[in-house]
Amino acid sequence: MAVYTDIAEDDLKWFLTEYDAGSLLSYKGIAEGVENSNFLLHTSKAPLILTLYEKRVEKSDLPFFLGLMQHLSARGLSCPLPLPRRDGALLGSLSGRPAALISFLEGMWLRKPEAKHCREVGRALAEMHVAGDGFELKRPNALSIDGWRTLWEKSEARAHEVETGLQSEIGDELDFLSAAWPKDLPAGVIHADLFPDNVFFLGDELSGLIDFYFACNDLLAYDVSICLNAWCFEKDGAYNITKGTAMLEGYQSVRPLGEAEIAALPVLSRGSALRFLLTRLYDWLTTPEGAMVTKKDPLEYLRKLRFHRQIGSAAEYGLSL
């Protein structure tokens, strides 16, 4: 989440009249994240999240995102729900941006997740994969392997500003992944961004998943690799195999991975590390000064990518074979 577009109080009050949401009491921007502008609203009825969809989000994708949240919630997954306007539409307009009101999910994200939390995340991810079955809308993953070279072209000329030699290292990695990427694994709806700040807990109990604005159709095991990267490394860069074991056990307790998925996990983990390296690199180089956005270090994911190059099998992530 982030704030790129500010909103005037009078405009927001007018916007709320299109919903059965009560009157505005207070609002504030949410600085975390990188994709849309988000605000926490307190109204006379309930707290809500207001999302303004920025230019990097295609308006044509919004029915997929909003419909997916409805579908998953109806299948029993705990996630925010878009509020309908008085005319039944899920999408409005505010400050020149498409905008939606989303229900507020109780809980907090964990700054220091432990293995027990990773187990719950793995289980919830598998539940989401199962619940996503039958969702009729489709959205290709623009940030999977086919889109990485296009994204890289936007940063390649300045990559040396972040680390010397990065151009050749990323070029070699793209060549490897293009040749090694699996194509026939089980696929479906994936979250594609299930980082700690997108998972809420109440105490040690997982209360829900949020921020589905990267969700798409792709390999289910690729989503698992994203979570391994996001949850199972410590701040010093070391991989925590206890957390990895817990996450994979949690996932497999709901949806066991197939043999081909297990074999592909090291390559998928390299790919997901590269994906977040590339998007962080682009944001690091292009986010304007003064934007209310928390920029994230691309080198964190360069270190993870280098770790995955040393992995020979999924057992080294903690998976019981």
Side-chain angles (χ1 to χ4, degrees), residues 105-152:
L105 189 67
E106 291 288 346
M108 297 180 62
W109 70 272
L110 301 175
R111 269 64 176 178
K112 295 181 179 180
E114 301 173 17
K116 59 186 176 183
H117 305 120
C118 292
R119 185 183 305 276
E120 291 302 299
V121 172
R123 179 187 54 79
L125 180 67
E127 289 175 346
M128 194 209 100
H129 289 168
V130 172
D133 189 41
F135 183 55
E136 294 183 355
L137 298 181
K138 305 294 181 184
R139 179 177 181 264
N141 186 0
L143 292 174
S144 191
I145 186 164
D146 292 336
W148 292 340
R149 286 193 186 274
T150 301
L151 183 60
W152 171 231

Side-chain angles (χ1 to χ4, degrees), residues 3-319:
V3 175
Y4 294 92
T5 300
D6 203 1
I7 53 176
E9 183 175 348
D10 288 344
D11 292 341
L12 178 55
K13 287 180 176 178
W14 174 85
F15 177 81
L16 287 177
T17 64
E18 299 179 318
Y19 296 82
D20 183 19
S23 57
L24 181 67
L25 300 179
S26 66
Y27 70 101
K28 65 178 181 178
I30 301 172
E32 294 165 338
V34 296
E35 193 67 17
N36 302 307
S37 294
N38 290 274
F39 300 84
L40 173 61
L41 276 56
H42 288 278
T43 77
S44 57
K45 286 196 171 183
L48 297 166
I49 299 296
L50 167 67
T51 297
L52 274 62
Y53 299 100
E54 298 294 342
K55 294 179 180 179
R56 211 162 89 175
V57 177
E58 294 289 342
K59 188 175 181 179
S60 59
D61 285 334
L62 295 178
F64 179 92
F65 299 141
L66 299 175
L68 177 61
M69 286 187 273
Q70 290 183 315
H71 176 88
L72 294 174
S73 179
R75 295 290 188 90
L77 190 81
S78 179
C79 65
L81 272 174
L83 271 66
R85 301 185 342 154
R86 296 187 189 275
D87 62 5
L90 296 179
L91 199 63
S93 179
L94 180 60
S95 298
R97 297 284 188 266
L101 283 179
I102 311 294
S103 64
F104 179 80
L105 189 67
E106 291 288 346
M108 297 180 62
W109 70 272
L110 301 175
R111 269 64 176 178
K112 295 181 179 180
E114 301 173 17
K116 59 186 176 183
H117 305 120
C118 292
R119 185 183 305 276
E120 291 302 299
V121 172
R123 179 187 54 79
L125 180 67
E127 289 175 346
M128 194 209 100
H129 289 168
V130 172
D133 189 41
F135 183 55
E136 294 183 355
L137 298 181
K138 305 294 181 184
R139 179 177 181 264
N141 186 0
L143 292 174
S144 191
I145 186 164
D146 292 336
W148 292 340
R149 286 193 186 274
T150 301
L151 183 60
W152 171 231
E153 289 169 359
K154 299 177 181 179
S155 303
E156 183 176 6
R158 296 179 58 197
H160 65 279
E161 297 176 21
V162 176
E163 176 153 315
T164 301
L166 196 54
Q167 287 98 331
S168 60
E169 185 170 358
I170 290 181
D172 290 345
E173 188 66 24
L174 284 167
D175 290 342
F176 166 80
L177 291 172
S178 294
W181 198 251
K183 296 179 174 61
D184 298 321
L185 301 181
V189 177
I190 70 169
H191 187 283
D193 194 40
L194 202 60
F195 277 66
D197 57 351
N198 288 332
V199 181
F200 281 3
F201 283 82
L202 287 170
D204 290 331
E205 184 176 348
L206 193 151
S207 60
L209 311 182
I210 69 167
D211 202 348
F212 288 83
Y213 300 115
F214 286 101
C216 55
N217 296 91
D218 207 334
L219 306 178
L220 300 180
Y222 176 61
D223 220 11
V224 176
S225 77
I226 290 173
C227 285
L228 289 175
N229 274 313
W231 289 83
C232 301
F233 285 83
E234 301 301 327
K235 288 188 176 181
D236 63 1
Y239 180 76
N240 187 321
I241 195 168
T242 303
K243 290 181 178 180
T245 298
M247 176 165 287
L248 292 166
E249 286 178 351
Y251 186 89
Q252 296 213 108
S253 70
V254 176
R255 179 189 170 269
L257 293 165
E259 291 184 7
E261 291 178 297
I262 291 170
L265 199 56
V267 170
L268 295 171
S269 297
R270 285 174 69 164
S272 58
L274 181 65
R275 172 261 188 265
F276 287 99
L277 167 58
L278 291 176
T279 50
R280 286 186 175 197
L281 178 64
Y282 176 80
D283 290 335
W284 190 270
L285 295 172
T286 62
T287 298
E289 294 297 328
M292 189 179 170
V293 178
T294 304
K295 294 201 296 185
K296 297 178 180 178
D297 182 12
L299 293 182
E300 175 188 347
Y301 269 80
L302 180 61
R303 292 189 288 270
K304 291 177 182 180
L305 174 59
R306 290 169 175 169
F307 168 82
H308 294 303
R309 291 196 191 115
Q310 313 304 314
I311 295 295
S313 79
E316 295 176 67
Y317 294 124
L319 185 67

